[in-house]
Amino acid sequence: MTWHVFIKELKDSMRDRKTIMLSVMLPILFNIGLLFFMEKIIMDDSVEQVNVAVEQNTDKLVLDWLEELDEIEIVSTDNPVHLVEEGEALVAISADENFSLKLENNEIPEVIVQADPTSTKGGSTQDLIANTLALKQQEYIQQYLVESNIDPTSLEPFKINIKSMSEGDDTSLYLISIFAQLIIVLAVLMGGLPAANDLFAGEKERKTMEALLMTPVNRLHIIIGKWLAISTLSMVSGIFSVITFIIGVNVFTENLADALQLDENIGFFTISLLVGIIFFALLISSLQMLISLMANNLKEAQNYISPITTLAMVPYFILIGVSANELSTMHFLIPFLNIYALIKQLIYGIYDTTSILLVAGSSAAFICLTFFIAYAMFMKSKWVLGKS
């Protein structure tokens, strides 16, 4: 009997255009748009020139140093700071008069590099110029020591060599991990949402719930059938999201495909992700079902679920600054947090069966708890029929 209820509710939900849009079309469009944004905008390494305002009487030596930078376009002016304030340049530079002469006389000339601290581009350009000037400063120190018959290495007691732990493209992999978590989890969250609202709060509002309860079907079969219908839509949405994401990365991008490198492990990657999606869909559907039962109509259900959906994004922000190697058993035991942790781990090529089992086990425990509460509410007329 549960199967018949499940099929009926699934067919009814699929007739709704909003369900098709949220479960199928939205993940596809969202993934394509996001991949295009990452590949063409974020990963675009072409040089974009920015205007840098330089004081008119700046020494030629300083100008020569600045002209070595392809990223900047020098704009000569008598008031560099004013040009930045007017938005016509990102950085203002002024240097001491007779900069070269002071340098030759072993005096300490000054270069002032100013930028608006609220501007990301301005800050990056300021750092670029400061680093370039620092390199020139080191060259002069080296030259001075050699001319003074002092070995420059004698003033360098040790070297600092900063290297990445990963041999691949860290930036691309990081971007894939944060965006993959976002689009997959959102797809599952949104996929079954219209059905969850409609199958409980909607039926209460339309007064069709009473007719359903008058049938000889046991309430347990009814609630399981509705729950499986909502879960199926969430799973379909999540699976569509994963499929379009993997195809999109491998077909439409170069930098992201090189970083992800799924060729050898695509089987384990896909199965692990599907297990995570299935359990997360069952979990979020049971929670959405419980919230929908608490509401008396569709509008009330939407008001209740919106903040809960926002709260579900909190673990995403918690894990943004956590590397895949820092993930512990606790990350895979906490519901909601565990799906984000699993996706991040898989993106970074860590394939651990124990993590998958922890995600499945902890999610199953929370599913049982929320489903039991929802079933207890469904057995009472107060919740199942609403205020009417």
PDB file of all heavy atoms in Angstrom, residues 283-309:
ATOM      1  N   LEU A 283      17.036  12.669   4.961  1.00  0.00           N
ATOM      2  CA  LEU A 283      17.085  13.467   6.198  1.00  0.00           C
ATOM      3  C   LEU A 283      16.349  14.798   6.032  1.00  0.00           C
ATOM      4  O   LEU A 283      15.477  15.144   6.842  1.00  0.00           O
ATOM      5  CB  LEU A 283      18.547  13.702   6.562  1.00  0.00           C
ATOM      6  CG  LEU A 283      18.868  14.402   7.887  1.00  0.00           C
ATOM      7  CD1 LEU A 283      20.230  13.946   8.380  1.00  0.00           C
ATOM      8  CD2 LEU A 283      18.862  15.897   7.768  1.00  0.00           C
ATOM      9  N   ILE A 284      16.675  15.525   4.984  1.00  0.00           N
ATOM     10  CA  ILE A 284      16.075  16.850   4.809  1.00  0.00           C
ATOM     11  C   ILE A 284      14.580  16.722   4.513  1.00  0.00           C
ATOM     12  O   ILE A 284      13.776  17.572   4.922  1.00  0.00           O
ATOM     13  CB  ILE A 284      16.810  17.645   3.692  1.00  0.00           C
ATOM     14  CG1 ILE A 284      16.483  19.137   3.791  1.00  0.00           C
ATOM     15  CG2 ILE A 284      16.478  17.130   2.312  1.00  0.00           C
ATOM     16  CD1 ILE A 284      17.007  19.812   5.012  1.00  0.00           C
ATOM     17  N   SER A 285      14.172  15.630   3.846  1.00  0.00           N
ATOM     18  CA  SER A 285      12.752  15.427   3.550  1.00  0.00           C
ATOM     19  C   SER A 285      11.951  15.152   4.814  1.00  0.00           C
ATOM     20  O   SER A 285      10.821  15.628   4.969  1.00  0.00           O
ATOM     21  CB  SER A 285      12.586  14.271   2.564  1.00  0.00           C
ATOM     22  OG  SER A 285      13.248  14.545   1.372  1.00  0.00           O
ATOM     23  N   SER A 286      12.537  14.386   5.730  1.00  0.00           N
ATOM     24  CA  SER A 286      11.835  14.119   6.984  1.00  0.00           C
ATOM     25  C   SER A 286      11.666  15.396   7.797  1.00  0.00           C
ATOM     26  O   SER A 286      10.631  15.632   8.431  1.00  0.00           O
ATOM     27  CB  SER A 286      12.576  13.047   7.801  1.00  0.00           C
ATOM     28  OG  SER A 286      13.863  13.512   8.154  1.00  0.00           O
ATOM     29  N   LEU A 287      12.701  16.254   7.734  1.00  0.00           N
ATOM     30  CA  LEU A 287      12.621  17.533   8.452  1.00  0.00           C
ATOM     31  C   LEU A 287      11.602  18.474   7.798  1.00  0.00           C
ATOM     32  O   LEU A 287      10.808  19.129   8.476  1.00  0.00           O
ATOM     33  CB  LEU A 287      14.008  18.181   8.471  1.00  0.00           C
ATOM     34  CG  LEU A 287      14.205  19.348   9.438  1.00  0.00           C
ATOM     35  CD1 LEU A 287      13.967  18.912  10.873  1.00  0.00           C
ATOM     36  CD2 LEU A 287      15.610  19.918   9.310  1.00  0.00           C
ATOM     37  N   GLN A 288      11.620  18.537   6.457  1.00  0.00           N
ATOM     38  CA  GLN A 288      10.653  19.380   5.742  1.00  0.00           C
ATOM     39  C   GLN A 288       9.226  18.891   5.974  1.00  0.00           C
ATOM     40  O   GLN A 288       8.292  19.682   6.098  1.00  0.00           O
ATOM     41  CB  GLN A 288      10.976  19.389   4.243  1.00  0.00           C
ATOM     42  CG  GLN A 288      12.242  20.159   3.900  1.00  0.00           C
ATOM     43  CD  GLN A 288      12.648  20.026   2.451  1.00  0.00           C
ATOM     44  OE1 GLN A 288      12.224  19.104   1.754  1.00  0.00           O
ATOM     45  NE2 GLN A 288      13.484  20.938   1.978  1.00  0.00           N
ATOM     46  N   MET A 289       9.065  17.567   6.036  1.00  0.00           N
ATOM     47  CA  MET A 289       7.747  16.988   6.290  1.00  0.00           C
ATOM     48  C   MET A 289       7.244  17.387   7.678  1.00  0.00           C
ATOM     49  O   MET A 289       6.067  17.755   7.856  1.00  0.00           O
ATOM     50  CB  MET A 289       7.866  15.460   6.186  1.00  0.00           C
ATOM     51  CG  MET A 289       6.601  14.681   6.438  1.00  0.00           C
ATOM     52  SD  MET A 289       6.861  12.925   6.118  1.00  0.00           S
ATOM     53  CE  MET A 289       8.016  12.491   7.416  1.00  0.00           C
ATOM     54  N   LEU A 290       8.147  17.353   8.650  1.00  0.00           N
ATOM     55  CA  LEU A 290       7.786  17.723  10.023  1.00  0.00           C
ATOM     56  C   LEU A 290       7.352  19.193  10.096  1.00  0.00           C
ATOM     57  O   LEU A 290       6.347  19.531  10.730  1.00  0.00           O
ATOM     58  CB  LEU A 290       8.998  17.466  10.916  1.00  0.00           C
ATOM     59  CG  LEU A 290       8.808  17.440  12.425  1.00  0.00           C
ATOM     60  CD1 LEU A 290       9.887  16.559  13.059  1.00  0.00           C
ATOM     61  CD2 LEU A 290       8.875  18.814  13.023  1.00  0.00           C
ATOM     62  N   ILE A 291       8.111  20.051   9.418  1.00  0.00           N
ATOM     63  CA  ILE A 291       7.790  21.487   9.439  1.00  0.00           C
ATOM     64  C   ILE A 291       6.469  21.752   8.726  1.00  0.00           C
ATOM     65  O   ILE A 291       5.651  22.570   9.172  1.00  0.00           O
ATOM     66  CB  ILE A 291       8.934  22.285   8.789  1.00  0.00           C
ATOM     67  CG1 ILE A 291      10.210  22.156   9.631  1.00  0.00           C
ATOM     68  CG2 ILE A 291       8.564  23.753   8.638  1.00  0.00           C
ATOM     69  CD1 ILE A 291      11.447  22.684   8.951  1.00  0.00           C
ATOM     70  N   SER A 292       6.244  21.051   7.601  1.00  0.00           N
ATOM     71  CA  SER A 292       4.995  21.230   6.857  1.00  0.00           C
ATOM     72  C   SER A 292       3.790  20.806   7.690  1.00  0.00           C
ATOM     73  O   SER A 292       2.707  21.391   7.592  1.00  0.00           O
ATOM     74  CB  SER A 292       5.063  20.426   5.559  1.00  0.00           C
ATOM     75  OG  SER A 292       3.943  20.682   4.759  1.00  0.00           O
ATOM     76  N   LEU A 293       3.983  19.773   8.524  1.00  0.00           N
ATOM     77  CA  LEU A 293       2.899  19.322   9.402  1.00  0.00           C
ATOM     78  C   LEU A 293       2.547  20.386  10.443  1.00  0.00           C
ATOM     79  O   LEU A 293       1.398  20.496  10.880  1.00  0.00           O
ATOM     80  CB  LEU A 293       3.310  18.035  10.121  1.00  0.00           C
ATOM     81  CG  LEU A 293       3.003  16.729   9.385  1.00  0.00           C
ATOM     82  CD1 LEU A 293       3.701  15.567  10.082  1.00  0.00           C
ATOM     83  CD2 LEU A 293       1.495  16.481   9.332  1.00  0.00           C
ATOM     84  N   MET A 294       3.527  21.169  10.846  1.00  0.00           N
ATOM     85  CA  MET A 294       3.297  22.206  11.852  1.00  0.00           C
ATOM     86  C   MET A 294       2.510  23.390  11.288  1.00  0.00           C
ATOM     87  O   MET A 294       1.925  24.167  12.032  1.00  0.00           O
ATOM     88  CB  MET A 294       4.635  22.705  12.412  1.00  0.00           C
ATOM     89  CG  MET A 294       5.426  21.649  13.168  1.00  0.00           C
ATOM     90  SD  MET A 294       7.120  22.172  13.520  1.00  0.00           S
ATOM     91  CE  MET A 294       6.821  23.555  14.582  1.00  0.00           C
ATOM     92  N   ALA A 295       2.534  23.547   9.954  1.00  0.00           N
ATOM     93  CA  ALA A 295       1.874  24.697   9.327  1.00  0.00           C
ATOM     94  C   ALA A 295       0.420  24.380   8.992  1.00  0.00           C
ATOM     95  O   ALA A 295       0.062  23.238   8.730  1.00  0.00           O
ATOM     96  CB  ALA A 295       2.618  25.083   8.058  1.00  0.00           C
ATOM     97  N   ASN A 296      -0.411  25.408   8.985  1.00  0.00           N
ATOM     98  CA  ASN A 296      -1.826  25.240   8.667  1.00  0.00           C
ATOM     99  C   ASN A 296      -2.136  25.487   7.192  1.00  0.00           C
ATOM    100  O   ASN A 296      -3.191  25.097   6.709  1.00  0.00           O
ATOM    101  CB  ASN A 296      -2.664  26.203   9.517  1.00  0.00           C
ATOM    102  CG  ASN A 296      -2.667  25.792  10.976  1.00  0.00           C
ATOM    103  OD1 ASN A 296      -3.081  24.693  11.324  1.00  0.00           O
ATOM    104  ND2 ASN A 296      -2.166  26.664  11.837  1.00  0.00           N
ATOM    105  N   ASN A 297      -1.230  26.167   6.492  1.00  0.00           N
ATOM    106  CA  ASN A 297      -1.437  26.424   5.065  1.00  0.00           C
ATOM    107  C   ASN A 297      -0.079  26.590   4.379  1.00  0.00           C
ATOM    108  O   ASN A 297       0.967  26.605   5.041  1.00  0.00           O
ATOM    109  CB  ASN A 297      -2.313  27.660   4.854  1.00  0.00           C
ATOM    110  CG  ASN A 297      -1.799  28.855   5.655  1.00  0.00           C
ATOM    111  OD1 ASN A 297      -0.632  29.219   5.534  1.00  0.00           O
ATOM    112  ND2 ASN A 297      -2.667  29.443   6.483  1.00  0.00           N
ATOM    113  N   LEU A 298      -0.121  26.738   3.060  1.00  0.00           N
ATOM    114  CA  LEU A 298       1.115  26.811   2.280  1.00  0.00           C
ATOM    115  C   LEU A 298       1.986  28.009   2.661  1.00  0.00           C
ATOM    116  O   LEU A 298       3.200  27.895   2.794  1.00  0.00           O
ATOM    117  CB  LEU A 298       0.763  26.902   0.787  1.00  0.00           C
ATOM    118  CG  LEU A 298       0.581  25.569   0.056  1.00  0.00           C
ATOM    119  CD1 LEU A 298       0.066  25.808  -1.359  1.00  0.00           C
ATOM    120  CD2 LEU A 298       1.870  24.778   0.032  1.00  0.00           C
ATOM    121  N   LYS A 299       1.344  29.153   2.842  1.00  0.00           N
ATOM    122  CA  LYS A 299       2.099  30.363   3.163  1.00  0.00           C
ATOM    123  C   LYS A 299       2.826  30.208   4.496  1.00  0.00           C
ATOM    124  O   LYS A 299       3.990  30.591   4.642  1.00  0.00           O
ATOM    125  CB  LYS A 299       1.149  31.564   3.208  1.00  0.00           C
ATOM    126  CG  LYS A 299       1.858  32.892   3.401  1.00  0.00           C
ATOM    127  CD  LYS A 299       0.880  34.051   3.380  1.00  0.00           C
ATOM    128  CE  LYS A 299       1.628  35.370   3.592  1.00  0.00           C
ATOM    129  NZ  LYS A 299       0.699  36.515   3.624  1.00  0.00           N
ATOM    130  N   GLU A 300       2.128  29.617   5.466  1.00  0.00           N
ATOM    131  CA  GLU A 300       2.749  29.403   6.772  1.00  0.00           C
ATOM    132  C   GLU A 300       3.914  28.423   6.666  1.00  0.00           C
ATOM    133  O   GLU A 300       4.947  28.613   7.311  1.00  0.00           O
ATOM    134  CB  GLU A 300       1.681  28.869   7.735  1.00  0.00           C
ATOM    135  CG  GLU A 300       1.999  29.125   9.190  1.00  0.00           C
ATOM    136  CD  GLU A 300       0.819  28.753  10.087  1.00  0.00           C
ATOM    137  OE1 GLU A 300      -0.287  29.263   9.856  1.00  0.00           O
ATOM    138  OE2 GLU A 300       1.015  27.927  10.998  1.00  0.00           O
ATOM    139  N   ALA A 301       3.732  27.379   5.842  1.00  0.00           N
ATOM    140  CA  ALA A 301       4.809  26.399   5.658  1.00  0.00           C
ATOM    141  C   ALA A 301       6.035  27.055   5.045  1.00  0.00           C
ATOM    142  O   ALA A 301       7.173  26.792   5.453  1.00  0.00           O
ATOM    143  CB  ALA A 301       4.322  25.256   4.764  1.00  0.00           C
ATOM    144  N   GLN A 302       5.826  27.912   4.054  1.00  0.00           N
ATOM    145  CA  GLN A 302       6.960  28.608   3.426  1.00  0.00           C
ATOM    146  C   GLN A 302       7.665  29.517   4.421  1.00  0.00           C
ATOM    147  O   GLN A 302       8.891  29.622   4.422  1.00  0.00           O
ATOM    148  CB  GLN A 302       6.457  29.423   2.230  1.00  0.00           C
ATOM    149  CG  GLN A 302       6.039  28.547   1.069  1.00  0.00           C
ATOM    150  CD  GLN A 302       5.258  29.297   0.013  1.00  0.00           C
ATOM    151  OE1 GLN A 302       4.913  30.461   0.187  1.00  0.00           O
ATOM    152  NE2 GLN A 302       4.949  28.625  -1.086  1.00  0.00           N
ATOM    153  N   ASN A 303       6.889  30.160   5.282  1.00  0.00           N
ATOM    154  CA  ASN A 303       7.492  31.027   6.300  1.00  0.00           C
ATOM    155  C   ASN A 303       8.335  30.232   7.289  1.00  0.00           C
ATOM    156  O   ASN A 303       9.363  30.703   7.769  1.00  0.00           O
ATOM    157  CB  ASN A 303       6.403  31.788   7.056  1.00  0.00           C
ATOM    158  CG  ASN A 303       5.726  32.830   6.196  1.00  0.00           C
ATOM    159  OD1 ASN A 303       6.299  33.288   5.216  1.00  0.00           O
ATOM    160  ND2 ASN A 303       4.507  33.202   6.543  1.00  0.00           N
ATOM    161  N   TYR A 304       7.883  29.007   7.618  1.00  0.00           N
ATOM    162  CA  TYR A 304       8.628  28.172   8.568  1.00  0.00           C
ATOM    163  C   TYR A 304       9.903  27.613   7.935  1.00  0.00           C
ATOM    164  O   TYR A 304      10.959  27.538   8.571  1.00  0.00           O
ATOM    165  CB  TYR A 304       7.764  27.001   9.042  1.00  0.00           C
ATOM    166  CG  TYR A 304       6.631  27.374   9.961  1.00  0.00           C
ATOM    167  CD1 TYR A 304       5.549  26.515  10.148  1.00  0.00           C
ATOM    168  CD2 TYR A 304       6.626  28.580  10.663  1.00  0.00           C
ATOM    169  CE1 TYR A 304       4.492  26.846  10.988  1.00  0.00           C
ATOM    170  CE2 TYR A 304       5.581  28.921  11.497  1.00  0.00           C
ATOM    171  CZ  TYR A 304       4.517  28.054  11.655  1.00  0.00           C
ATOM    172  OH  TYR A 304       3.473  28.397  12.487  1.00  0.00           O
ATOM    173  N   ILE A 305       9.798  27.190   6.679  1.00  0.00           N
ATOM    174  CA  ILE A 305      10.908  26.464   6.055  1.00  0.00           C
ATOM    175  C   ILE A 305      12.032  27.399   5.614  1.00  0.00           C
ATOM    176  O   ILE A 305      13.204  27.014   5.653  1.00  0.00           O
ATOM    177  CB  ILE A 305      10.377  25.618   4.865  1.00  0.00           C
ATOM    178  CG1 ILE A 305       9.634  24.405   5.404  1.00  0.00           C
ATOM    179  CG2 ILE A 305      11.513  25.163   3.960  1.00  0.00           C
ATOM    180  CD1 ILE A 305       9.056  23.498   4.369  1.00  0.00           C
ATOM    181  N   SER A 306      11.711  28.615   5.235  1.00  0.00           N
ATOM    182  CA  SER A 306      12.755  29.537   4.742  1.00  0.00           C
ATOM    183  C   SER A 306      13.891  29.734   5.749  1.00  0.00           C
ATOM    184  O   SER A 306      15.068  29.606   5.394  1.00  0.00           O
ATOM    185  CB  SER A 306      12.140  30.890   4.377  1.00  0.00           C
ATOM    186  OG  SER A 306      11.243  30.720   3.310  1.00  0.00           O
ATOM    187  N   PRO A 307      13.593  30.048   7.039  1.00  0.00           N
ATOM    188  CA  PRO A 307      14.709  30.194   8.002  1.00  0.00           C
ATOM    189  C   PRO A 307      15.479  28.899   8.223  1.00  0.00           C
ATOM    190  O   PRO A 307      16.699  28.920   8.421  1.00  0.00           O
ATOM    191  CB  PRO A 307      14.016  30.623   9.301  1.00  0.00           C
ATOM    192  CG  PRO A 307      12.627  30.964   8.957  1.00  0.00           C
ATOM    193  CD  PRO A 307      12.302  30.350   7.642  1.00  0.00           C
ATOM    194  N   ILE A 308      14.754  27.759   8.189  1.00  0.00           N
ATOM    195  CA  ILE A 308      15.436  26.477   8.376  1.00  0.00           C
ATOM    196  C   ILE A 308      16.418  26.227   7.235  1.00  0.00           C
ATOM    197  O   ILE A 308      17.537  25.742   7.429  1.00  0.00           O
ATOM    198  CB  ILE A 308      14.393  25.319   8.425  1.00  0.00           C
ATOM    199  CG1 ILE A 308      13.431  25.541   9.589  1.00  0.00           C
ATOM    200  CG2 ILE A 308      15.100  23.978   8.553  1.00  0.00           C
ATOM    201  CD1 ILE A 308      14.063  25.494  10.959  1.00  0.00           C
ATOM    202  N   THR A 309      15.997  26.571   6.005  1.00  0.00           N
ATOM    203  CA  THR A 309      16.876  26.407   4.849  1.00  0.00           C
ATOM    204  C   THR A 309      18.116  27.283   4.990  1.00  0.00           C
ATOM    205  O   THR A 309      19.232  26.872   4.652  1.00  0.00           O
ATOM    206  CB  THR A 309      16.119  26.779   3.562  1.00  0.00           C
ATOM    207  OG1 THR A 309      14.924  26.004   3.497  1.00  0.00           O
ATOM    208  CG2 THR A 309      16.961  26.503   2.338  1.00  0.00           C
TER     209      THR A 309
END
